[in-house]
């Protein structure tokens, strides 16, 4: 038997529990699901600022939570949708991926078609904001052969089969990767435009990690005391990941997580909520005062370090400033670890105290799927 559990911020009903509350500090079973949503079929749980989506193996998408800009996608606009509902307008399309920004959403169908809905206050839907300030129903964009979609706070990015990246929305800190013909930062891009790495095709960089945008907390793996932000994708040094190829990347608001081919997981960026876990060792830096370095390292770590969990990590998801991880207990059994910002109980340990090292979270079975939004969390569990 399989069951869905949710915890953390629930001020907009984003946990799908059927009610609105300030916080839920312990994993709580989501009892009321639509008749046509079976728990064993859930493959992904994805959250935004205050809304959540569940995606099934059949490609059906269900949403709950904050809906002031129509970001839940049920055809209405209102403060809260406290129970999961089927997303309207995607009938006949098999959804394979979904991503959430603060108040907008983007989905990818099996055919490579892209759909957007929610707030368009900064052009994050890839449509003229004067014509479409928001939409509560998915709108298809004029893009083809897309293989990956993602969303930041108020910007959006997709990757295509031919190795190109497209970004649009809010870009005041360089997060779009665009500069204009005069070499100036493009602060807003209200329609899709290629941001191939400095004008080159993405396949030229296969196996490398590129970063651009805000670097206030070292989240781009460069010292923030020297570089405030990047406007053009730059390569993160290969040796930062033990010389291994990076297989996957995850990002919160100000921190990043990467998984390498040897199974190692690396973390970097903002650290003062505990979102990086304990550091392996202090890095030497002869260029400045030691005490200043120690204080700086408490707030952020710009050089990726290995995540200190002794067992094999199978998956990691990031909220705004917290993380969840599926950790292999045996060959067929996984436990849930969490750490980081915990103001809304989003780490699931029953407290609102930040966790500065990964902690096992009690669940009544084996973890199969994990998901996180800004301040909320989900786990699909096979009951014992």
């Amino acid at each position: 038997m399989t069951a869905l559990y949710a915890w953390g911020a629930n001020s907009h009903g984003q946990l799908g529990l059927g009610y609105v509350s300030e916080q839920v500090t312990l994993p709580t079973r989501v009892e009321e699901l639509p008749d046509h949503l079976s728990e064993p079929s859930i493959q992904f749980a994805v959250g935004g600022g205050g809304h959540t989506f569940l995606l099934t193996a059949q490609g059906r998408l269900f949403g709950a939570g904050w809906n002031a800009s129509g970001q839940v996608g049920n055809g209405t606009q209102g403060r809260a949708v406290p129970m999961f509902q089927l997303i309207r307008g995607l009938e006949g399309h098999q959804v394979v991926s979904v991503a959430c920004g603060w108040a907008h959403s983007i989905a990818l169908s099996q055919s490579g078609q892209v759909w957007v809905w929610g707030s368009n206050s900064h052009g994050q839907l890839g449509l003229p904001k004067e014509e479409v300030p928001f939409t509560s129903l998915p709108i298809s964009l004029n893009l083809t052969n897309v293989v990956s979609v993602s969303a930041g706070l108020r910007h959006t990015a997709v990757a295509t089969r031919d190795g190109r990246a497209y970004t649009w929305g809010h870009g005041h800190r360089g997060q779009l990767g665009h500069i204009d013909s005069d070499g100036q930062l493009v602060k807003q891009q209200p329609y899709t435009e290629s941001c191939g790495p400095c004008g080159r095709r993405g396949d030229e960089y296969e196996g490398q990690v590129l970063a651009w945008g805000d670097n206030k907390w070292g989240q781009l793996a460069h010292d923030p005391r020297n570089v405030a932000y990047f406007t053009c994708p730059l390569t993160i040094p290969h040796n930062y990941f033990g010389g291994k190829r990076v297989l996957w990347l995850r990002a919160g608001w100000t921190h990043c997580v990467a998984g390498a081919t040897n199974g190692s997981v690396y973390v970097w960026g903002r650290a003062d909520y505990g979102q990086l876990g304990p550091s392996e060792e202090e890095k030497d830096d002869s260029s400045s005062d030691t005490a200043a370095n120690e204080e700086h390292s408490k707030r952020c770590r710009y050089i990726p370090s290995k995540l200190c969990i002794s067992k094999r990590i199978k998956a990691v998801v990031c909220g705004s400033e917290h993380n969840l991880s599926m950790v292999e207990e045996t060959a067929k059994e996984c436990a849930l670890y969490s750490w980081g910002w915990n103001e809304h109980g989003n780490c699931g340990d029953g407290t609102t105290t930040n966790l500065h090292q990964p902690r096992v979270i009690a669940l009544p079975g084996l973890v199969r799927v994990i998901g996180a939004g800004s301040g909320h969390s989900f786990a699909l569990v096979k009951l014992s």
Side-chain angles (χ1 to χ4, degrees), residues 7-12 14-15 46-52 66 100-103 153 251-253 255 317-323 339-347 371-378:
W7 61 96
N10 193 40
S11 53
H12 303 287
Q14 58 262 52
L15 300 186
V46 179
H51 65 300
T52 308
W66 187 32
C100 304
W102 180 252
L153 196 68
W253 283 0
H255 73 290
V317 295
C318 300
S320 60
E321 304 287 2
H322 78 289
N323 312 279
W339 66 99
W341 179 57
N342 198 26
E343 181 179 349
H344 301 287
N346 33 300
C347 285
S374 173
H376 58 294
S377 307
F378 285 84

Side-chain angles (χ1 to χ4, degrees), residues 348-369:
D349 69 334
T351 77
T352 55
T353 302
N354 297 334
L355 302 185
H356 287 263
Q357 59 183 7
R359 179 176 297 178
V360 179
I361 302 304
L363 288 165
L366 306 177
V367 181
R368 292 288 181 259
V369 174

Side-chain angles (χ1 to χ4, degrees), residues 293-345:
N293 282 341
E294 289 179 354
E295 179 60 30
H296 182 70
S297 68
K298 291 178 183 178
R299 299 175 64 243
C300 67
R301 301 205 300 266
Y302 70 89
I303 296 179
S305 60
K306 283 185 182 180
L307 181 61
C308 296
I309 295 180
S310 59
K311 300 175 182 178
R312 180 170 176 258
I313 298 170
K314 294 197 69 175
V316 177
V317 295
C318 300
S320 60
E321 304 287 2
H322 78 289
N323 312 279
L324 304 178
S325 178
M326 285 175 59
V327 176
E328 195 173 84
E329 296 290 335
T330 69
K332 295 183 179 180
E333 299 180 354
C334 286
L336 175 70
Y337 285 62
S338 73
W339 66 99
W341 179 57
N342 198 26
E343 181 179 349
H344 301 287

